[in-house]
Amino acid sequence: MTATVPPARLAARVSAIGGSPIRDILAVTARPEIINFAGGLPAPELFDTEGIAAAFGHVLANDPGRALQYSTTEGEPALREALAARTTVRGLPTTADDLLITTGSQQALSLLATALLEPGDTVLVENPCYLAALQTFGFAGARIVAVPCDDTGIDPEALDALVAEHRPKLLYTVPTFQNPTGRTLPAGRRAAVAEVAARGGLWIVEDDPYGELRFEGDRVPWIATHEGARDRTVLLGSFSKVMAPGLRLGWLRAPAALRRACTVAKQAADLHTPTVNQLAAARYLADRDLDAHVAKVAAAYGTRRDAMLKGLPAALPEGSTWSRPEGGMFLWASLPRTGGYDLTALLGKAVACDVAYVPGAPFHVADPDPTTLRLCFVTQTPEEIAEGLERLGRALKS
Ligand code: PMP
């Protein structure tokens, strides 16, 4: 008789968390005929390919031994210094030592989860929330609790009550041009959030990959600049939306003890972020005008937002509402509740009409709203956006 050998097993967290529905949609929407409002893809024709190629060329020609070598976990000093200067100019005094370079800001979220969360700890998030953050906190075994939000984001009074009730370890927020809604938390609420966190003794993770992409209105200071938040806020930045996501370059600014813990976590994760990418980015910042490039990209994105705002009234059923972001990449729409719409179920019809969006339901931690959807307005030209919205209108009417 042969003994039954039990199957080799995966960790329970793998089946508990599951893949990102957006990544699944992206796989379906790779067909070239699809107008894709689903992926959060920066417009590829606006990448400064020439400038980035020149920076890589310079680094590989002049310092190949360093560029192709292992580096420190903290990151290349030239890049950290340039990023510290950019952060300081934007109102948050920062030195190179305050920063840890990460492999995209997504890695910063994983490092923070490792450094801060015990299984069962409570994490407060916006409702709806950036999906891959929910995955990361889920993998860490966190209890995720949604903070009630309105058209301008977190409601500080509701936050205060939840802090008292749940004693959370951290609040995760994307206060500027949020993914998925595109909304921005006003200055007064930022101060209130900082104050609640200071009183409640929790960390704030302020994730800001989109803030530079403003095409309208005035910049709102980071939560991290508020007095009460200084010693408890982690600010995350990224080159993904302003330079190119394929570089996988992000950074975190955190108080010393937490930054050291994240550095140790990063040693275990990937030793360091690719040296050549870091040095090329530092070279780019030294030789080129990133702000001028970003201004050009943001202006184009503003035109694309306008194209989307123009096409939406005809595409969506009467009674629909949508956000009007002043920057970033995403717009959030709600169809009338009385219409019985389920945007998850309708996605197949949309894809059959060669257009894609992301249903809003998976972004919600609580009360998933089936009538919501996220539309990315930056990947296509204004003409393609108009055509894509016509297709969406046909799909929703059929
Ligand atoms: N945070 C938010 C809110 C995002 O939308 C994204 C990318 N979609 C990330 C973090 C991760 O970006 P990256 O790792 O490319 O810097």
Side-chain angles (χ1 to χ4, degrees):
M1 220 172 76
T2 51
T4 318
V5 180
R9 289 172 304 143
L10 300 177
R13 70 176 79 86
V14 178
S15 47
I17 306 299
S20 153
I22 298 194
R23 301 234 140 239
D24 297 344
I25 293 166
L26 281 177
V28 178
T29 57
R31 278 197 280 128
E33 61 275 23
I34 291 211
I35 294 184
N36 185 0
F37 299 136
L41 305 179
E45 73 281 12
L46 299 178
F47 293 150
D48 181 6
T49 310
E50 186 268 322
I52 293 173
F56 272 92
H58 185 282
V59 161
L60 288 171
N62 291 284
D63 210 355
R66 178 165 192 146
L68 300 176
Q69 190 53 278
Y70 281 118
S71 176
T72 59
T73 303
E74 288 81 356
E76 283 295 317
L79 180 59
R80 293 164 78 205
E81 268 153 35
L83 289 170
R86 288 177 70 78
T87 310
T88 303
V89 164
R90 284 158 179 75
L92 187 59
T94 301
T95 66
D97 285 344
D98 296 327
L99 300 176
L100 169 66
I101 303 295
T102 58
T103 304
S105 53
Q106 188 62 38
Q107 184 183 53
L109 293 173
S110 302
L111 301 180
L112 288 165
T114 303
L116 292 176
L117 296 176
E118 315 280 356
D121 276 351
T122 299
V123 170
L124 299 181
V125 300
E126 290 152 334
N127 201 32
C129 173
Y130 169 51
L131 263 177
L134 296 179
Q135 273 182 318
T136 304
F137 300 137
F139 272 131
R143 256 182 79 230
I144 301 176
V145 174
V147 183
C149 294
D150 61 19
D151 288 349
T152 55
I154 289 175
D155 170 353
E157 276 179 29
L159 174 68
D160 201 13
L162 286 175
V163 169
E165 184 185 343
H166 295 282
R167 297 274 145 227
K169 193 69 148 299
L170 68 87
L171 164 71
Y172 170 71
T173 171
V174 183
T176 309
F177 313 139
Q178 195 231 16
N179 180 2
T181 60
R183 68 193 170 201
T184 292
L185 195 69
R189 284 197 182 189
R190 292 181 189 218
V193 166
E195 207 227 309
V196 170
R199 252 190 297 116
L202 60 144
W203 292 98
I204 301 172
V205 176
E206 180 173 21
D207 188 4
D208 186 30
Y210 302 106
E212 301 265 305
L213 292 174
R214 178 177 282 284
F215 39 75
E216 204 179 284
D218 295 323
R219 197 166 176 278
V220 188
W222 285 306
I223 296 173
T225 62
H226 288 277
E227 198 48 48
R230 288 255 161 102
D231 57 347
R232 59 183 59 260
T233 303
V234 189
L235 179 66
L236 309 188
S238 173
F239 279 140
S240 289
K241 311 305 184 317
V242 293
M243 213 183 266
L247 293 169
R248 308 307 304 127
L249 285 174
W251 57 95
L252 71 78
R253 179 192 186 279
L258 175 54
R259 199 183 58 253
R260 277 196 294 274
C262 288
T263 307
V264 175
K266 184 169 166 68
Q267 288 168 5
D270 65 355
L271 301 182
H272 66 81
T273 294
T275 319
V276 60
N277 295 12
Q278 293 189 58
L279 289 178
R283 194 70 246 160
Y284 187 98
L285 291 175
D287 291 349
R288 307 272 165 157
D289 186 346
L290 179 63
D291 290 338
H293 170 71
V294 174
K296 203 175 88 186
V297 172
Y301 286 4
T303 307
R304 292 171 187 208
R305 178 211 57 178
D306 290 343
M308 191 162 270
L309 290 176
K310 187 162 168 238
L312 278 172
L316 300 188
E318 209 175 314
S320 300
T321 56
W322 48 85
S323 59
R324 189 184 178 283
E326 295 186 330
M329 298 179 28
F330 304 111
L331 183 151
W332 183 252
S334 305
L335 273 50
R337 292 222 178 208
T338 48
Y341 295 99
D342 179 344
L343 271 304
T344 305
L346 284 167
L347 181 60
K349 281 194 178 171
V351 171
C353 291
D354 289 337
V355 62
Y357 57 82
V358 189
F363 295 99
H364 291 81
V365 176
D367 312 320
D369 182 347
T371 69
T372 54
L373 68 159
R374 187 192 77 177
L375 296 166
C376 174
F377 55 78
V378 307
T379 319
Q380 281 83 22
T381 63
E383 296 71 32
E384 289 164 335
I385 290 171
E387 169 62 27
L389 289 176
E390 272 179 33
R391 293 180 193 176
L392 181 61
R394 275 202 300 280
L396 293 176
K397 276 177 197 115
S398 67

